[in-house]
Amino acid sequence: MFDSLSERLDSVFKKIKGRGRLDEASIEEGLREVRLALLEADVNYKVVKDFTRKVKEKALGKEVLKSLTPGQQVVKIVHEELIELLGGKNVGLELKGKKPYIIMLVGLQGSGKTTSAAKLALFLRRKKFSPLLVPADVYRPAAIEQLQKLASEINIPSFGSSSNMKPVDIALQAREEAIEKGYDILILDTAGRLHIDEVLMNELVEIKQACSPQEILFVADAMTGQDAVNVASRFDELLDITGVILTKMEGDARGGAALSIKSVTGKPIKFIGVGEKLKDLEVFHPDRIASRILG
Ligand code: GDP
C-alpha cells in the first residue's frame, strides 16, 4: 500500500547526490514526502507540522555523512526524531508505595479494556506478581462475566463483582479481599461508553480519589486514529492518566495514533495490544514503532 518512506526519500534525494551539504530546497522536497507518509500513517496534522519543522532545523546545515546519501541522512534524522517524539525509550509500570498496587484501566467501550486487563494480569504474573482481576463495569451487560471468564481461562482470580454494586465500592472491597488473600496487584476494568459522558467521568474520578491507583492507563484502539487522540486528551485532563495501552496494533495500524497520543498528552505508551489472544500484549518500544511508521 505504501512505498516505504526511505525509498521515497531516496528517489527525491537522488538528484542532489554528491552535494556536500543538505540545502533548504532539497530538504523541503524530502520533507513533503515525510509529511505525506506521516499523514498516511494517521499522525495528527499539528504533530506532523511541528515535527517536520524540527527535522528541517536539524537537517539544515548538516554535513552529509560520507556513508549516507542525503536521502538516507534525512531518514536518519526523521527516525531519531520519531523515537524522541514517541518517548525515547520504554517507560514501564511505576509500581511504588504500599501493596496491593492498583492499576486502573479506562477508555471508551470497545477499545479493548477488558481484554487488556486480562492480558496485563498474565503479563504481571510472569513478572511474579499475584494479580486480582476486578470487573468494575456495571453497565455493559455481561462485562463482568466477560472478565471473570477470561480470568478463569488463565487461572487468575477475579473479584465477585455484581452489577448492582457501585464501582467505587467494588474497588474498595476488592482491595480488602486482596489484602486478606495476599494478592499484590489489582487490575480494575472500568466502564466505557460510546462517548465521554459526565456521569462516567465523575465515577472514574471517584474511584481514583477513593483508591489512589499507582497507574491509570488509558486504553485506546489504534484503528480509531485521530478520534483516539481527542478522547485521550479528555481522559487525561480529568484523570491525569499515567500511561496508555494502544490496542489492535497488529495488521494495518501503522502507529500514527501512537505518535499523536504521546505527543498530544505527553503521557507514555506503556503497552501495545497485538491480537485478540491473551498473550498478545507487548511492552511498547518507541524505536520499533518509529521504524514501522517509516515503512
Ligand atoms: P472493552 O469494551 O473496552 O472492554 O473492549 P473488549 O476488551 O471487549 O474488546 C473489544 C474487541 O476488541 C474484542 O473483540 C477484543 O477481542 C478485541 N481486541 C482487544 N484488543 C485487541 C488487540 O490488541 N487486537 C485485536 N485484533 N483485537 C483486540
Side-chain angles (χ1 to χ4, degrees):
M1 184 168 160
F2 310 94
D3 283 336
S4 85
L5 180 60
S6 318
E7 279 167 30
R8 273 153 69 163
L9 282 182
D10 230 31
S11 69
V12 169
F13 284 97
K14 275 240 166 68
K15 298 174 227 161
I16 54 164
K17 212 174 174 179
R19 287 188 211 169
R21 193 176 271 276
L22 291 166
D23 63 46
E24 187 155 359
S26 52
I27 289 169
E28 273 298 340
E29 222 176 309
L31 284 183
R32 203 171 307 135
E33 294 293 316
V34 174
R35 208 172 284 131
L36 273 175
L38 292 178
L39 291 170
E40 276 171 13
D42 204 20
V43 180
N44 180 288
Y45 78 95
K46 278 193 217 125
V47 175
V48 174
K49 218 169 131 190
D50 259 19
F51 179 77
T52 44
R53 185 180 42 77
K54 262 198 219 142
V55 172
K56 184 174 164 183
E57 280 167 15
K58 241 187 159 176
L60 266 178
K62 259 215 166 153
E63 296 297 324
V64 175
L65 298 172
K66 289 230 160 49
S67 56
L68 299 175
T69 65
Q72 286 167 337
Q73 184 143 342
V74 173
V75 169
K76 185 165 174 283
I77 295 170
V78 169
H79 192 244
E80 286 164 3
E81 285 293 307
L82 271 180
I83 293 173
E84 205 46 47
L85 212 60
L86 285 163
K89 52 182 191 307
N90 170 258
V91 180
L93 294 170
E94 301 251 0
L95 301 171
K96 288 195 200 115
K98 213 168 144 228
K99 283 186 178 177
Y101 302 133
I102 299 184
I103 299 178
M104 182 173 164
L105 300 188
V106 301
L108 295 185
Q109 188 171 317
S111 58
K113 268 186 315 306
T114 305
T115 316
S116 299
K119 286 176 173 177
L120 204 53
L122 196 58
F123 173 87
L124 288 165
R125 188 176 57 192
R126 285 203 195 107
K127 303 268 171 205
K128 308 288 177 230
F129 283 98
S130 169
L132 175 66
L133 279 163
V134 185
D137 179 353
V138 296
Y139 304 105
R140 182 160 66 89
I144 293 176
E145 293 75 18
Q146 186 191 342
L147 186 61
Q148 288 169 341
K149 187 166 166 284
L150 293 176
S152 71
E153 274 172 32
I154 47 178
N155 256 321
I156 284 179
S158 59
F159 183 71
S161 317
S162 80
S163 55
N164 56 17
M165 290 170 82
K166 275 181 69 183
V168 64
D169 294 333
I170 292 178
L172 292 172
Q173 287 182 29
R175 182 165 64 182
E176 288 309 309
E177 182 170 310
I179 294 168
E180 260 169 47
K181 298 190 175 167
Y183 306 127
D184 55 10
I185 192 156
L186 279 79
I187 302 169
L188 276 184
D189 179 26
T190 64
R193 301 285 161 81
L194 292 175
H195 302 285
I196 295 172
D197 72 60
E198 214 54 26
V199 178
L200 166 71
M201 294 315 258
N202 288 340
E203 195 175 279
L204 296 175
V205 171
E206 198 185 350
I207 299 175
K208 176 180 175 177
Q209 285 167 350
C211 54
S212 313
Q214 273 77 9
E215 290 277 355
I216 302 179
L217 301 177
F218 174 72
V219 181
D221 176 344
M223 305 297 279
T224 59
Q226 293 317 303
D227 220 30
V229 181
N230 302 331
V231 178
S233 303
R234 190 83 182 95
F235 272 83
D236 190 36
E237 273 164 31
L238 278 161
L239 290 164
D240 191 16
I241 61 171
T242 58
V244 177
I245 299 179
L246 209 52
T247 65
K248 309 181 197 180
M249 279 291 280
E250 77 277 12
D252 284 342
R254 299 201 86 223
L259 187 61
S260 311
I261 288 184
K262 170 66 179 74
S263 42
V264 171
T265 63
K267 298 298 165 68
I269 293 159
K270 299 199 168 180
F271 296 95
I272 55 174
V274 293
E276 292 190 73
K277 300 224 172 67
L278 297 184
K279 62 169 182 40
D280 297 332
L281 183 78
E282 291 176 5
V283 164
F284 176 75
H285 291 288
D287 50 343
R288 292 184 202 160
I289 300 299
S291 305
R292 198 150 124 186
I293 292 171
L294 281 175

